[in-house]
């Protein structure tokens, strides 16, 4: 059922089997499976996640490559609700471990000061990441190209950069190393630091050896039209020619709500086992939040794995359902206590 | 490019980066990724694999639940070819490790006695399994229900069996244990052995305790209409009422072509690492052939993982592409040998 501030109170006495934080690719896949295992689950989706910004979906089997991510989200949200999941547009503020259950505090709408508390046996953390973009005074100028010809994922879009003049906008010296992978797709790479940090002599030497020019001025403006990049103008007026680009400035992880729970991380990624279970056995993590490739297909499979493991754990703890009318008299000797 | 007996000779001198054995869900996903990494790959698809028989696709994000598996295969085959993969309808007879490459012998068409040999650096084994069905004199009677209301995958279709009278057709005593998982979805389970094996007293007792009747006669005929099961008639004339069923008779693994190569197995499943790499570093295994859940989403993610690892290995062994016209004079001291 679609929940909102108007009807969410009908669910405040429910103990969900699972609350899925994030209704992107991984979270929706988890919810579809959970619902089809007959488990009651709630998806809480804040909106505008990474896949919402995907202008096309190049690599995902069965989906036309021009399909925007938000179409898959809309379709999957309907799928999950049709199978019986609850869906709420809101922001998860905190998750508190109460022992057998978690209290999940959700703010619904900007004016909701205190939020509402839902209870659940399992939490699926599927809230993902968002890519850091270069900050310009006019962010609309960035949004005009980001996700179109200015990419954030080399695995997804490297193919579409093939042998084109490309800018690599690197958020730190370490991130400049992406140039030495991106060169699989194109060797015509100009590296931009956006004026954020100094570059060591060693890195400058390496770039020079590869013939990749380095520009250390802040970006002033992206040029082009209809989302097709043609070049980048820097603060000192330099114009760098490029028909495509890769932003490698890191990601913001949407996992603040987990901060009160001790979990194992590798860097900012949650460490999980082969069923996407974190170091807390009732908390699962999917897709971009955990270690591994940040791909739609991986998040979708992660949803399958987490939901299946949650089902196993709940099922194994449940009493077996018998066909009562068929029950034969138990002819075994009664156990003597 | 679509290959056939008419044009395959144009590829006999090619050394592919990867040959993908099996053009089902996993193989197509692998090929889409491989092609978009700019690698040249050939999919060899024998046809009529497990997903070809799927009458609907309940659990896969973004796909309407009524979509038959073969529609996804057709769509994905076009996707893969559009991105640059080769696709050949044929049967892989053998894979021979020649050191740096493999020789892959493929029979194309029933009259092809000797087959054609293609060469590749990597092999992706994505040839899957096929479910064993009860053998009746009139197999059309089985096909009328299998994949519709007589299911082969509890995870996929348990939901659609909810609280219905169900038959479990178990291929061995061990497989009768599926009843004690299926009872999550429905407790109204009749167990059929199809007359294939004797059942121990211990199992009979356990079934009786759950109220699940056991029928040890061979199945004579499935009853129903329009693919909707209504009951099962046994050889002795008994009629077992059921509107749904689960076949749990095991699977046939399509991996004969790997028999000359020593690989690590767990039972019949290939053991793989987190990137779907088998114990042979240039052979990968996906989906149902390897350990793990037999789900479309898992196979699709496996294709992503295997293709990405193959790309990494090929890329890391390749010379870095430089922007030649931009190359600066290397000012470092020449190395004195």
């Amino acid at each position: 059922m679609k929940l909102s501030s108007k009807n969410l109170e009908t669910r405040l006495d429910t103990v969900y089997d699972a609350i899925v934080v994030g209704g992107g690719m991984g979270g929706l896949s988890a919810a579809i499976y959970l619902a089809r295992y007959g488990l009651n689950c709630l998806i809480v989706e804040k909106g505008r996640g990474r896949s919402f910004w995907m202008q096309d979906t190049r690599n995902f089997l069965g989906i036309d490559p021009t399909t925007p991510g938000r179409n898959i989200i809309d379709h999957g949200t309907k799928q999950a609700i049709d199978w019986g999941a609850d869906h709420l547009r809101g922001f998860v503020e905190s998750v508190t471990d109460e022992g057998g259950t978690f209290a999940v505090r959700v703010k619904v709408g900007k004016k909701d000061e205190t939020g509402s508390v839902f209870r659940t046996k399992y939490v699926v953390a599927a809230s993902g990441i968002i890519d850091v973009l270069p900050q310009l005074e006019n962010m609309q100028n960035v949004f005009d190209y980001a996700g179109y010809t200015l990419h954030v994922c080399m695995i997804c879009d490297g193919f579409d950069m093939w042998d084109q003049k490309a800018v690599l906008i690197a958020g730190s010296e370490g991130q400049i190393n992406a140039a030495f992978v991106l060169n699989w797709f194109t060797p015509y790479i100009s590296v931009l630091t956006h004026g954020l940090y100094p570059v060591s002599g060693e890195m400058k030497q390496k770039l020079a050896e590869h013939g990749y020019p380095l520009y250390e001025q802040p970006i002033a403006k992206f040029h082009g039209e209809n989302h097709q990049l043609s070049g980048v103008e820097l603060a000192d007026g330099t114009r760098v020619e490029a028909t495509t680009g890769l932003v490698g400035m890191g990601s913001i992880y949407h996992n603040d709500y987990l901060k009160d729970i001790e979990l194992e991380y590798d860097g900012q990624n949650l460490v999980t086992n082969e069923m996407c279970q974190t170091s807390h056995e009732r908390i699962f993590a999917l897709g971009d939040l955990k270690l591994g490739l940040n791909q739609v297909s991986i998040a979708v499979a992660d949803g399958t794995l987490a939901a299946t493991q949650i089902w196993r754990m709940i099922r194994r703890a449940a009493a077996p359902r018998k066909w009562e009318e068929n029950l034969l008299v138990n002819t075994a000797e009664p156990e003597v206590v």
Side-chain angles (χ1 to χ4, degrees), chain A residues 16-271:
Chain A
Y16 283 101
D17 291 311
I19 289 182
V20 180
V21 184
M25 305 297 188
L28 289 171
S29 176
I32 289 166
Y33 272 84
L34 287 165
R36 285 185 57 86
Y37 287 131
L39 300 174
N40 66 339
C41 74
L42 167 65
I43 308 158
V44 185
E45 162 63 1
K46 69 165 183 40
R48 296 173 167 265
R50 196 183 198 212
S51 46
F52 174 86
W53 295 101
M54 279 170 43
Q55 304 301 337
D56 45 44
T57 308
R58 294 304 206 202
N59 284 337
F60 191 49
L61 182 73
I63 300 287
D64 284 324
T66 54
T67 309
R70 59 186 175 281
N71 290 21
I72 305 175
I73 294 173
D74 289 349
H75 187 280
T77 301
K78 186 175 174 313
Q79 259 178 303
I81 293 172
D82 283 352
W83 295 126
D86 285 344
H87 187 281
L88 174 65
R89 195 65 182 259
F91 184 81
V92 174
E93 284 280 305
S94 65
V95 171
T96 309
D97 190 351
E98 302 178 313
T101 58
F102 296 100
V104 177
R105 182 174 294 277
V106 182
K107 282 196 177 182
V108 179
K110 283 185 181 166
K111 291 179 192 157
D112 184 2
E113 294 276 321
T114 54
S116 303
V117 174
F118 297 87
R119 285 199 158 69
T120 183
K121 296 173 194 159
Y122 291 84
V123 167
V124 179
S127 39
I129 60 173
I130 195 84
D131 304 285
V132 177
L133 294 175
Q135 297 300 302
L136 303 193
E137 214 163 292
N138 174 15
M139 283 306 292
Q140 189 52 50
N141 177 244
V142 181
F143 299 144
D144 280 348
Y145 301 98
Y148 295 94
T149 48
L150 182 62
H151 303 289
V152 293
C153 171
M154 203 193 309
I155 289 183
C156 309
D157 300 312
F159 184 84
D160 301 314
M161 302 172 76
W162 205 272
D163 280 354
Q164 290 184 59
K165 284 193 179 172
V167 287
L168 169 65
I169 306 171
S172 67
E173 173 153 334
Q175 286 161 329
I176 292 178
N177 285 305
F180 311 113
V181 183
L182 182 59
N183 62 3
W184 174 264
F185 298 103
T186 177
Y188 309 118
I189 301 169
S190 298
V191 175
L192 313 187
T193 67
H194 192 35
L196 293 173
Y197 50 92
V199 177
S200 71
E202 194 184 352
M203 179 59 84
K204 283 181 176 170
Q205 173 70 23
K206 192 171 175 190
L207 289 171
E209 283 167 17
H210 284 76
Y212 305 158
L214 172 69
Y215 298 92
E216 301 188 69
Q217 285 281 318
I219 295 165
K221 189 173 190 272
F222 292 96
H223 287 277
E225 57 182 351
N226 292 328
H227 310 302
Q228 173 56 61
L229 197 65
S230 63
V232 182
E233 186 181 319
L234 305 182
D236 64 357
T238 307
R239 166 89 180 235
V240 182
E241 221 185 300
T243 52
T244 187
L246 179 70
V247 179
M249 303 183 74
S251 313
I252 296 164
Y253 284 69
H254 295 307
N255 58 9
D256 271 3
Y257 57 91
L258 293 171
K259 65 180 180 298
D260 294 337
I261 298 174
E262 201 178 315
L263 294 169
E264 191 186 343
Y265 290 85
D266 181 330
Q268 291 192 78
N269 291 108
L270 280 158
V271 174

